[in-house]
Amino acid sequence: MPSKRTTSLHFVIPSKDCCTLHSSCFTLADVWLWTGRFELSYGSKPSSSHCAVPSDFLPFFNALLLCFLCVFFLQGECRNFIKVLLSQHGGLFVCGTNAFNPLCANYTRDTLELVAEPISGMARCPYDPRHANVALFADGSLFTGTVTDFLAIDAVIYRSLGDSPALRTVKHDSKWFREPYFVSAMEWGPHIYFFFREMAMEFHHLEKVMVSRVARVCKADLGGSQRVLEKQWTTFLKARLNCSVPGDSHFYFNLLHATSNIIHMQGRDVILGLFSTPPNSIPGSAVCVFDMQQLAHVFEGRFKEQKSPESIWTPVPDEAVPKPRPGGCAVQGSRFSSSNTLPDEVLNFVKTHPLMDETVPLLGHRPWVVKTMGRYQLTTMVVDTEAGPHKNRTVLFLGSTRGTILKFLMVPSGDSVSHSSVFLEEVEGFNPEKCGEDSPQARQLLSLTLDRTSHTLLLAFPSCLVRVPTSRCHLHSRCMKSCLASRDPYCGWTRGSVCSFLRPGTR
């Protein structure tokens, strides 16, 4: 591993018998915040011929095989990349790839001491650090979107660890998932929503088409009957996200890269998504906004189906949908107060019809930000809805594949639906002095985080972590006209005749 100037966090884990090709054992773990992930490695950073595998986690033969693969083929990937890091019951819940044998464990927040024994990370954490995953706790259970196997063939949305029974999506069914790339997950009302992109199955007559989706499941789902969907979701439904520029022929941004959290803007719960065009199209990126009420309404609409492998996908007639409506949350006190009491007809329908016919419309009928024909792609996003001294302005920070940050001010329109965007500035985030070699690979921005306390952005690159201020008011120095013309809500002309950063509450 190349040397990196990063912040390291050290803690001791219980001693484990370790099997390596060099018969070396380690008990000290380093947690390195880099590449947008935490990396947990036994002892010092392992070399390509130094791959430790705890023998009590794997049968001896598998451990020997895994060590062989690590040394001669996998090398850098054969470490413990932390892919899940959540706050839970005052502590930390952590899952790592553990040299392609994922494990999860609970730690105390203050001393980072291990609480109880680690548990299997299967269906909670991917095997390969390059595979995307999402995770969150809701109602005491862990909801994850990941893959369950080494080859990433079995994609899954999985619930575990709580009082509710463990549930998963149907295995190896392209109607449910087809090569998904999970982006985010969040709780809203009685559902958990998963945002991802995948190969579309409804465009079977074309070449592979990647589209963006949102799927949801009921938090109270108990699974199906012993005959249909046993230990599987009965409420899994998905719909396509429409991020496009309107016209005679819509111009689509099909690839979802990032989302905001659900935020409250002008009386609406909305979520912002950062999309791009596919590699073989006109290069471009866009930020589209979706109203959560409109999004939820799509799941109450018509289902989509393919009657035969050769036929096109068409809406399901309303009279062909069984009662009670498939995919809905069970209602206490009703005839079917639990999902496992639903008729087989309803369960079979939702098993074979997870896709909705209608797409989720974007708020305002057009993207809030569009950037086309650029030399780079926008892939990361963070939103500050409390910008400015009065905390009443919204600023978008969009990270590019060149390691720069594009900053936009969102200006609401009079209709409370659409916004216009004002481009404020582009900031260089990559720092060769901290990050080492300057190359396109080194400039790949892996994550972008807003630190509200220090009013800074944290940028994670493959070899370093960089902190950048949210504003650069000093560039306007003592020129009042330049300061005001910048329209930067973080900056203002102060009594000292200087353009200064305006802290919240400043008058």
Side-chain angles (χ1 to χ4, degrees), residues 10 72 90 124 176 207 255 258 266 352 407 425 434 486:
H10 303 274
F72 295 103
R124 303 181 180 110
W176 285 54
E207 295 181 0
L255 305 187
Q266 295 184 285
T352 55
K407 182 176 169 183
E425 62 176 336
K434 292 184 178 181
S486 71

Side-chain angles (χ1 to χ4, degrees), residues 152-393:
I153 297 175
D154 181 25
V156 64
I157 286 177
Y158 184 60
R159 182 182 67 192
S160 62
L161 301 184
D163 296 331
S164 300
L167 294 181
R168 60 155 296 157
T169 42
V170 172
K171 193 172 184 178
H172 301 319
D173 188 335
S174 61
K175 288 184 178 180
W176 285 54
F177 283 130
R178 188 181 177 192
E179 302 176 35
Y181 183 97
F182 293 103
V183 173
S184 65
M186 51 204 67
E187 178 183 13
W188 193 73
H191 298 96
I192 303 295
Y193 289 85
F194 293 84
F195 294 83
F196 60 101
R197 60 181 189 259
E198 69 170 349
M199 291 295 176
M201 65 283 192
E202 63 267 37
F203 304 134
H204 69 285
H205 57 287
L206 301 175
E207 295 181 0
K208 284 189 174 183
V209 178
M210 184 77 75
V211 296
S212 296
R213 308 272 200 205
V214 57
R216 78 175 190 183
V217 294
C218 287
K219 292 183 289 186
D221 197 331
L222 298 179
S225 67
Q226 293 182 347
R227 298 173 300 278
V228 186
L229 292 179
E230 182 181 15
K231 298 181 181 180
Q232 295 172 329
W233 296 106
T234 67
T235 55
F236 175 86
L237 298 174
K238 64 180 182 179
R240 182 181 177 184
L241 295 169
N242 175 14
C243 182
S244 62
V245 176
D248 294 336
S249 178
H250 280 236
F251 184 82
Y252 286 94
F253 298 87
N254 275 340
L255 305 187
L256 177 65
H257 292 278
T259 71
S260 68
N261 293 323
I262 296 174
I263 57 180
H264 195 72
M265 294 181 64
Q266 295 184 285
R268 300 170 180 264
D269 284 340
V270 301
I271 184 168
L272 284 68
L274 176 59
F275 298 78
S276 76
T277 54
N280 59 350
S281 176
I282 298 173
S285 299
V287 174
C288 288
V289 183
F290 303 95
D291 185 319
M292 290 301 297
Q293 291 285 0
Q294 293 180 357
L295 188 152
H297 182 71
V298 169
F299 291 102
E300 304 302 322
R302 303 175 79 177
F303 296 91
K304 207 178 190 75
E305 69 176 353
Q306 185 186 31
K307 294 183 178 180
S308 70
E310 293 76 26
S311 62
I312 63 173
W313 288 73
T314 57
V316 178
D318 292 340
E319 58 271 17
V321 178
K323 306 290 185 183
R325 180 181 170 85
C329 297
V331 179
Q332 294 294 326
S334 65
R335 180 183 175 187
F336 303 104
S337 58
S338 172
S339 61
N340 48 31
T341 63
L342 290 170
D344 287 357
E345 181 186 15
V346 172
L347 296 177
N348 276 314
F349 184 92
V350 77
K351 180 179 180 180
T352 55
H353 296 77
L355 181 63
M356 308 309 298
D357 179 59
E358 185 182 353
T359 61
V360 179
L362 66 167
L363 192 62
H365 307 294
R366 63 176 59 249
W368 285 11
V369 175
V370 175
K371 196 79 173 176
T372 58
M373 302 303 292
R375 298 163 299 175
Y376 47 71
Q377 198 174 65
L378 302 177
T379 57
T380 56
M381 173 179 65
V382 70
V383 185
D384 186 1
T385 58
E386 299 178 352
H390 305 295
K391 297 185 177 182
N392 60 347
R393 308 300 294 273

